[in-house]
Amino acid sequence: MPELPEVEVVRRGLERGVAGRTVAAVQVHHPRAVRRHLAGARDFEALLAGRTVLAARRRGKYLWLPLDSGDALTGHLGMSGQLLVVPPEKADEAHLRIRFAFTDGGRELRFVDQRTFGGLAVVAGGADLPSTVAHVARDPLDPEFDDDAFVRGLRAKRSGVKRALLDQTLVSGIGNIYADEALWRARLHGGRPTEGVTRPQARALLQHVRDVLQESLEQGGTSFDALYVSTEGVSGLFARSLNAYGREGEPCPRCGTALRREVFMNRSSFSCPRCQPRPRHPR
DNA sequence: ACCCACCCCTGGGCGC
DNA sequence: TGCGCCCAGGGGTGGG
């Protein structure tokens, strides 16, 4: 569920709520939540007890907390993961997977995840850039993101534009919502072959991606329901600013044509039939 | 070296 | 009411 803006909201919450604090004890309530921690739940718990969280970092949709041990607690929220910072006396959430208590006795960190596509792991020596995150490209809000490399990389692909936007090794942080929103802004159909996208079109698309991610972040991200919330349990407001995503049959805000829904990569894509004509040979 | 289909889960909404 | 189906913001993996 969460894409870059939603994950960044969570990162900021972790920076405020957890950085500088020392873990007292960790309890894994569901093994699937630590399936990427190959040494198992007990090892995960033991590596975190007594460790101090130094910061909260993010690349794309991946989060990590550098620890004073030199390791990193890494995480991905998947489709439904939440990292909540809540008072210890608060009742357990229905899908509580991992609980972190701190030595100061203050608010706990809880990993809650209905669908269990998300998960956490401790990565050895990963404080700077965990090995499990290294395969992911920088995201468009990273100051070191290379725009020229993106344009080259996009045009070098033999794929469709939307597939390329969703491919986290070219540019990270974009999911189904923001891909559709950026394509709508760029007036490009997601099935457009990448090799046919001109350099100016690629540059403009990247700028639209950046704009929509930034605007959403300023609104606290997109929330359709209570599944996506900040560490404080607050929903974002950007859903009201979406132009295309989820708006099948509603008028295009630009030209008034009814927006369409297409199934693409086994998921929904929303676009304007007039502003974003389907290419002859979609990819 | 790519690229893509498939798989992993739970729960809400809908039609019958 | 209840059942079965479809759908949902994700990525890793293994095959072609």
Side-chain angles (χ1 to χ4, degrees), chain A residues 2-11 58 60-61 63 77:
Chain A
E3 305 180 34
L4 187 152
E6 296 78 36
V7 178
E8 174 60 15
V9 168
V10 171
R11 189 203 66 76
R58 181 190 58 73
K61 305 171 196 172
L63 288 165
L77 301 177

Side-chain angles (χ1 to χ4, degrees), chain A residues 26 28 30-49 51 62 65 67 69 71-76 98 100 111 116-126 130-132:
Chain A
V26 178
V28 175
H30 195 304
R32 212 177 125 74
V34 293
R35 67 191 179 286
R36 305 262 171 227
H37 189 90
L38 300 181
R42 299 293 88 78
D43 184 74
F44 176 87
E45 294 167 347
L47 286 174
L48 289 165
R51 298 277 65 85
Y62 287 81
L65 304 178
L67 305 172
S69 58
D71 299 339
L73 171 58
T74 67
H76 196 291
I98 308 175
F100 302 79
F111 180 63
T116 70
F117 286 177
L120 306 184
V122 177
V123 175
S131 55
T132 50

Side-chain angles (χ1 to χ4, degrees), chain A residues 17-18 21 25 27 83-93 96 98-102 104-111 231:
Chain A
V18 174
R21 300 174 68 199
Q27 298 163 340
L83 283 164
L84 304 174
V85 181
V86 298
E89 60 271 20
K90 184 170 184 294
D92 289 359
E93 293 75 8
L96 174 63
I98 308 175
R99 182 201 315 277
F100 302 79
F102 291 86
D104 57 21
R107 291 189 297 168
E108 295 179 346
L109 175 63
R110 297 184 188 175
F111 180 63
T231 55

